[in-house]
Amino acid sequence: MAADISPKRPFRWHIAIFLAPAVLVYTAIMILPLAGTLQLSLFRNIEQHQVFVGLDNFRTLFGDPNWSVNFWNALRNNVWFFIIHMLVQNPIGVMLAALLSSPRLRFAAFYRTAIFVPTILSFVIVGFAWKLILSPLWGVAPHMMDLIGLKSLFTPWLGKEQYALTALSLISVWQFVGIPMMLIYAALLSIPEEVIEAAECDGITGMSQFWKIKLPLILPSIGIISILTFVGNFNAFDLIYTAQGALAGPNYSTDILGTFLYRAFFGFQLQVGDPNMGAAIATMMFLIILGGVCVYLFLVQTRLRRYQF
């Protein structure tokens, strides 16, 4: 009877020891600030005292026109910002990765480096550089378009409400297209050679091989890139702030949740900062991102597992 009882496995203390520093750092810089933000959103400053008000800050955010109009405008702009990245950045990243993974392409390493370099540039540099490039007074864009006979199509994109957000979104795409490119490139290189050779034996080559063989195998990587794009875009702030300022002009047409949070929490010009309402906005951003991640994990990732090796 005693022989049937399996020996108790010893606790692996070395795993806890190695994980402890990372857990402590993550808790200090992520978990505790998040908990503090959630707590702050449930209070309100009344006569210099923090008073618990429950969900009143969220009712104000959604019900008070002074707050709700700006919130819904920022949310719509953020959704459009994300859509452009999904429809432009990620497909271009996949296409570039497919081209650069071709063994017949010369100078592939140089092209990869050149495309990836903008991702390591500062937002301040990118924002100011593109403002100078697109300036109708001293920018090079009008002159460059004139050289190819398209100057009539030039307009001060960053100064018009209907174009400003799209222009900034495309600038962000230019800066970060190297990230999905490199991730997809790594996924393509991880496909076993036996699979490629079997496809070639069946006469599947070129673009047909990419669409029928490679693309289904890299779908999990594309899914990861999509959720990273979602999280990154709904946390965006730097580029809009650098190019258009805290007011996200013209006329709040480029205002996203990040800039709206900044003005609400810290105040700007004649607007007095309200940390409690800022925390409520930050909480809504967290819930939106959490909801998107949960949808991906439970509805998308489970269906993509069948493509994994």
Side-chain angles (χ1 to χ4, degrees):
M1 191 71 179
D4 296 335
I5 300 177
S6 59
K8 186 178 180 181
R9 299 181 61 182
F11 183 77
R12 299 180 179 179
W13 290 101
H14 64 281
I15 297 179
I17 293 174
F18 283 120
L19 289 179
V23 172
L24 291 176
V25 172
Y26 187 80
T27 301
I29 67 176
M30 294 294 293
I31 303 300
L32 293 181
L34 175 61
T37 300
L38 298 177
Q39 179 184 9
L40 190 61
S41 67
L42 302 177
F43 287 78
R44 183 174 296 169
N45 191 359
I46 300 177
E47 297 181 354
Q48 304 301 320
H49 296 285
Q50 289 291 321
V51 179
F52 179 79
V53 294
L55 300 178
D56 281 356
N57 289 331
F58 297 95
R59 296 190 186 98
T60 301
L61 182 63
F62 295 122
D64 188 343
N66 294 325
W67 290 94
S68 62
V69 172
N70 290 330
F71 174 76
W72 292 115
N73 173 65
L75 182 59
R76 284 193 301 268
N77 290 339
N78 227 143
V79 171
W80 179 243
F81 193 75
F82 164 68
I83 289 174
I84 291 180
H85 282 76
M86 281 295 295
L87 297 182
V88 180
Q89 174 185 278
N90 292 348
I92 291 178
V94 174
M95 179 189 68
L96 292 174
L99 293 175
L100 294 175
S101 64
S102 174
R104 292 175 293 182
L105 180 66
R106 300 179 63 186
F107 308 111
F110 170 77
Y111 297 140
R112 289 197 305 270
T113 303
I115 296 172
F116 189 77
V117 161
T119 64
I120 64 177
L121 295 179
S122 167
F123 285 100
V124 177
I125 295 175
V126 173
F128 278 108
W130 277 99
K131 284 193 70 175
L132 294 175
I133 291 172
L134 299 178
S135 171
L137 298 178
W138 53 74
V140 299
H143 179 66
M144 297 297 292
M145 295 183 68
D146 189 28
L147 293 178
I148 57 177
L150 297 177
K151 188 175 181 180
S152 60
L153 299 179
F154 177 80
T155 185
W157 289 295
L158 295 180
K160 292 190 175 182
E161 295 182 26
Q162 62 269 38
Y163 300 128
L165 182 61
T166 302
L168 287 172
S169 301
L170 294 177
I171 292 172
S172 179
V173 167
W174 167 84
Q175 183 179 8
F176 290 109
V177 71
I179 294 178
M181 178 200 71
M182 293 302 293
L183 293 175
I184 295 299
Y185 178 77
L188 290 172
L189 293 184
S190 67
I191 298 176
E193 287 294 331
E194 294 82 1
V195 176
I196 305 301
E197 293 173 359
E200 292 175 350
C201 291
D202 291 336
I204 304 176
T205 58
M207 290 301 297
S208 178
Q209 182 183 100
F210 175 79
W211 289 106
K212 295 181 180 180
I213 305 298
K214 294 182 178 179
L215 184 61
L217 294 176
I218 64 174
L219 281 179
S221 297
I222 294 176
I224 293 294
I225 293 170
S226 299
I227 198 62
L228 290 177
T229 302
F230 175 80
V231 174
N233 290 163
F234 275 87
N235 276 320
F237 166 77
D238 310 73
L239 181 62
I240 305 295
Y241 180 79
T242 301
Q244 303 296 84
L247 292 178
N251 195 25
Y252 300 106
S253 60
T254 59
D255 195 21
I256 58 176
L257 292 175
T259 51
F260 180 46
L261 164 64
Y262 175 86
R263 293 196 310 275
F265 197 99
F266 297 103
F268 189 76
Q269 294 182 352
L270 298 179
Q271 180 179 343
V272 180
D274 188 341
N276 300 109
M277 289 301 299
I281 298 170
T283 300
M284 289 307 305
M285 293 174 62
F286 167 72
L287 294 177
I288 291 171
I289 294 173
L290 179 63
V293 172
C294 289
V295 168
Y296 167 77
L297 291 177
F298 294 107
L299 297 182
V300 179
Q301 184 64 20
T302 53
R303 298 183 180 182
L304 293 178
R305 286 176 184 169
R306 58 177 158 221
Y307 295 110
Q308 295 177 327
F309 294 106

